[in-house]
Amino acid sequence: MNASNKRKHAASPARYVIAAAIAVIAGFGTVYLLLAPSDNGSSPQTAPATADKAGGVSGAASPLKGLNRGDMAAFVVRPKPLPLPDFSFDGPGGAKQSAADLKGKVVLLNIWATWCVPCREEMPQLNALQAELGGPEFEVVAINIDKDGAEKAKTFLEETGAKDLALYADPTGKLFATLKVVGMPTTLLLNAEGHEMGRLVGPADWASPEAKALIEAAIAAEAKSSS
């Protein structure tokens, strides 16, 4: 084989990337992976270097420590709440809002789209969580990133029976990159200061006992810190 043919048959970096992408899709078919910056350089299924599945490292005492189990096993706990970049979105009725508007209570921030099949599957569970625990201390804020306008997202919520979820939207799609979202859906748990306590990439049963325990622990931690 001459040098020209050797070059043709040599594996390029692009081919390795494509092969890796196929492997990811095969292994994690319920997650829609997109080309976006990863979370601290980790894959969606790998905890960041500063956190572990037990809820922290170096003796860090996260109030969520040990609660990422069962249906919440994929939830990555931050050893210390992580400040997020400022971001904006449309609130109910189209009113402009920012990250500051989410402060003052624990927020489960869910990023979703109408074309995301796993999002459709988990939306009723997010609604059930909001119906049971939603109030002054906690809210499920599900932000749609479709560019087709709010009407399609509204229909989606109606079809999935999500009557307890307010319609939040980011038609610009900037939120995806700002929060380093690497898959769809992605859900972040924020404390009352708007800092990330942890995140989960992919669908999850947010109406499960494990999910409720996680949220209740976050709410209790905020109540303790404010007392």
Side-chain angles (χ1 to χ4, degrees):
M1 183 179 295
N2 59 33
S4 177
N5 287 336
K6 287 182 179 179
R7 284 194 296 267
K8 288 181 180 179
H9 288 275
S12 67
R15 289 176 63 184
Y16 283 120
V17 170
I18 293 171
I22 292 173
V24 169
I25 292 172
F28 304 97
T30 57
V31 179
Y32 285 67
L33 296 179
L34 300 178
L35 295 177
S38 64
D39 181 28
N40 288 350
S42 64
S43 69
Q45 289 76 34
T46 304
T50 54
D52 65 9
K53 299 293 291 180
V57 293
S58 303
S62 167
L64 308 182
K65 182 178 181 180
L67 295 178
N68 48 343
R69 57 178 180 264
D71 285 311
M72 291 289 104
F75 187 90
V76 176
V77 176
R78 297 288 187 185
K80 182 178 180 180
L82 179 69
L84 295 173
D86 191 27
F87 57 90
S88 59
F89 54 95
D90 295 341
K96 295 296 180 182
Q97 294 191 7
S98 69
D101 293 299
L102 301 180
K103 295 181 179 181
K105 58 185 172 184
V106 174
V107 168
L108 192 69
L109 184 66
N110 177 265
I111 313 298
W112 67 280
T114 59
W115 43 261
C116 167
V117 175
C119 297
R120 180 176 291 273
E121 294 174 352
E122 79 168 3
M123 197 59 69
Q125 297 153 2
L126 287 167
N127 185 79
L129 181 65
Q130 171 64 24
E132 182 171 346
L133 298 182
E137 298 177 330
F138 171 72
E139 181 183 4
V140 174
V141 176
I143 303 182
N144 173 262
I145 62 169
D146 283 66
K147 297 182 179 181
D148 300 331
E151 196 59 36
K152 190 174 182 180
K154 180 180 178 181
T155 300
F156 181 98
L157 293 179
E158 292 173 350
E159 291 175 350
T160 55
K163 59 183 179 63
D164 293 294
L165 297 179
L167 177 56
Y168 294 91
D170 172 35
T172 69
K174 293 180 180 179
L175 187 62
F176 203 90
T178 300
L179 297 182
K180 297 184 180 180
V181 177
V182 295
M184 193 74 79
T186 286
T187 308
L188 286 68
L189 183 59
L190 311 182
N191 64 15
E193 295 180 352
H195 296 171
E196 180 185 333
M197 302 180 75
R199 71 170 61 192
L200 191 154
V201 179
D205 184 358
W206 291 103
S208 66
E210 291 88 353
K212 294 174 185 176
L214 196 73
I215 301 303
E216 289 170 344
I219 295 173
E222 288 303 320
K224 183 178 180 179
S225 65
S226 62
S227 62

